[in-house]
Amino acid sequence: RVPESSTVRDYEMHVFRGRSLSGNPGLPVRWYSSFPGALHVTRPTQALKTRILELKQETPTVKSFVLQLPYPPLPTLSFRAGQWCDIFLPSSNFTHTGSEHTATPARDTAQDEDSVYTLGLSMTSSPQMAVEQRRVQFACKMSGHPIVKHMHTKARVGDTVYIDGGHGPFYYDPTTMSRRVVLIGGGIGITPLMSITRSICDTKRKETEDEKEIQVKLVHSATTPTELLFYRELCELERAPSSPIRYFSTVTRARKPQAMHNVPHGDPYQGRTERISYEMLRDVVRVDPARDVFFFSGPAGLVKDVRGHLVRLGVPESRMYYERWLFASPS
């Protein structure tokens, strides 16, 4: 837990036994306890009832899913690009043996149960998509969490999923922030940054010519080319006419030439093969410490390193927004 004296921006969200405790405004930590008692909660009354419209295997370890949101006059989801939602699934979808939770097929009789399991996930779609199409997309990497295992192995189109959001101060607001944006993600940490990227592209399509130009640089690091989530879409966004996006990908474990071609959809990988470094941000991405606003997200180690690089580059804390995840293990 972060000391009370912490001056880091943003917040700490501690999810434990179904209670979301906000504290230390200034620390961007999402803490998910893996204790069985922390996962089994009572569904909040304000949670929205949605249904799965689409499931897609994006990479060998990451699956995305699209939910159909309620239509008016029912309440619907409202969020800002970069925020996250609590996901709730009926507890009858899971069996419990010892310390293990196992997903079981959903049953119609369990669809409206108040006893649920919960997990927080970032939206990958834009807020505009939620308003205009009444749809929202998430992505999760395979892990031992019961909900993640269920979404990867048992979930089907038409299943009910309850959601509540958006949450958290990790979001981009073009009306109050710099229109020069640098997004840096590690692994599955690209998910909230993808929401920001898509939102900016949706907004740009509606801008008039006299509005101030927006610029986005997105840096994504993954272990191998196959784990570069949304790689093809980001390459296409960068190539689009008058695109505001510049995309920088890098992988840390693909050293053999033949491995560089094993990316989603069979596209040849042409990005970098190094960790995100001070030199990369300075010489390749060419960040502007005085003008850019920075959002970075991912494992705690990457977040710590990137923050250190930015401090060394002279970026003030007021221009940094970041989010990391900590997972507790039973002891």
Side-chain angles (χ1 to χ4, degrees):
R1 191 171 177 86
V2 175
E4 293 296 333
S5 59
S6 173
T7 58
V8 181
R9 292 173 58 85
D10 239 328
Y11 77 113
E12 176 179 14
M13 182 60 69
H14 181 190
V15 178
F16 185 72
R17 297 190 183 279
R19 297 181 63 85
S20 297
L21 308 176
S22 297
N24 297 337
L27 180 73
V29 175
R30 236 189 282 167
W31 178 286
Y32 300 131
S33 173
S34 59
F35 297 144
L39 299 169
H40 193 188
V41 302
T42 299
R43 175 170 55 86
T45 56
Q46 75 273 15
L48 301 176
K49 185 177 181 179
T50 72
R51 292 194 179 274
I52 298 176
L53 281 179
E54 178 184 330
L55 291 156
K56 181 179 180 182
Q57 194 71 44
E58 299 282 358
T59 78
T61 64
V62 177
K63 179 169 280 189
S64 68
F65 57 99
V66 177
L67 302 180
Q68 176 70 66
L69 298 171
Y71 282 89
L74 295 176
T76 191
L77 181 67
S78 177
F79 68 96
R80 299 186 182 190
Q83 288 188 310
W84 57 280
C85 269
D86 285 321
I87 308 293
F88 304 95
L89 291 181
S91 59
S92 58
N93 287 354
F94 308 94
T95 59
H96 179 244
T97 305
S99 61
E100 296 295 324
H101 296 264
T102 304
T104 60
R107 301 189 299 271
D108 291 340
T109 57
Q111 297 297 330
D112 294 318
E113 287 186 359
D114 290 335
S115 178
V116 294
Y117 281 74
T118 182
L119 173 69
L121 289 177
S122 295
M123 282 71 78
T124 59
S125 53
S126 69
Q128 294 91 322
M129 179 178 172
V131 172
E132 297 170 5
Q133 301 180 35
R134 287 294 192 270
R135 298 182 178 187
V136 62
Q137 184 192 54
F138 300 88
C140 56
K141 184 173 182 177
M142 186 61 181
S143 74
H145 192 289
I147 287 183
V148 174
K149 289 174 68 175
H150 179 84
M151 298 307 295
H152 273 259
T153 62
K154 298 295 183 180
R156 298 292 182 267
V157 171
D159 285 357
T160 293
V161 177
Y162 291 94
I163 62 174
D164 179 42
H167 300 306
F170 184 86
Y171 59 83
Y172 175 63
D173 183 352
T175 65
T176 61
M177 298 178 179
S178 171
R179 292 175 71 84
R180 293 173 55 95
V181 187
V182 178
L183 310 173
I184 305 171
I188 193 65
I190 194 177
T191 50
L193 309 181
M194 198 64 191
S195 177
I196 294 174
T197 300
R198 287 168 165 167
S199 179
I200 288 172
C201 290
D202 288 348
T203 299
K204 183 174 173 58
R205 282 191 282 268
K206 299 178 181 179
E207 287 183 338
T208 60
E209 292 184 0
D210 60 345
E211 288 188 271
K212 188 176 180 181
E213 187 70 16
I214 193 166
Q215 300 177 33
V216 181
K217 296 178 179 179
L218 191 154
V219 185
H220 185 211
S221 173
T223 53
T224 65
T226 57
E227 292 300 334
L228 285 168
L229 186 58
F230 304 121
Y231 173 80
R232 186 171 190 175
E233 178 181 350
L234 289 167
C235 289
E236 292 174 351
L237 285 175
E238 183 180 33
R239 291 193 295 263
S242 303
S243 173
I245 308 298
R246 288 200 62 196
Y247 173 47
F248 304 85
S249 63
T250 185
V251 296
T252 59
R253 295 183 187 172
R255 302 301 182 188
K256 298 179 181 180
Q258 61 268 28
M260 307 311 292
H261 297 275
N262 190 23
V263 297
H265 311 288
D267 298 333
Y269 177 70
Q270 300 176 351
R272 306 183 70 83
T273 56
E274 61 182 288
R275 295 186 180 278
I276 297 173
S277 63
Y278 166 82
E279 291 77 14
M280 180 181 178
L281 295 175
R282 181 192 63 187
D283 302 329
V284 180
V285 184
R286 296 186 178 182
V287 302
D288 186 334
R291 300 172 61 194
D292 295 341
V293 60
F294 297 83
F295 291 82
F296 44 109
S297 173
L302 177 136
V303 168
K304 179 181 177 181
D305 290 345
V306 169
R307 180 174 176 268
H309 301 329
L310 296 180
V311 169
R312 186 180 172 193
L313 285 163
V315 178
E317 290 281 358
S318 61
R319 288 185 171 272
M320 296 185 201
Y321 298 84
Y322 58 91
E323 190 169 65
R324 58 180 174 153
W325 298 280
L326 300 177
F327 294 87
S329 299
S331 57

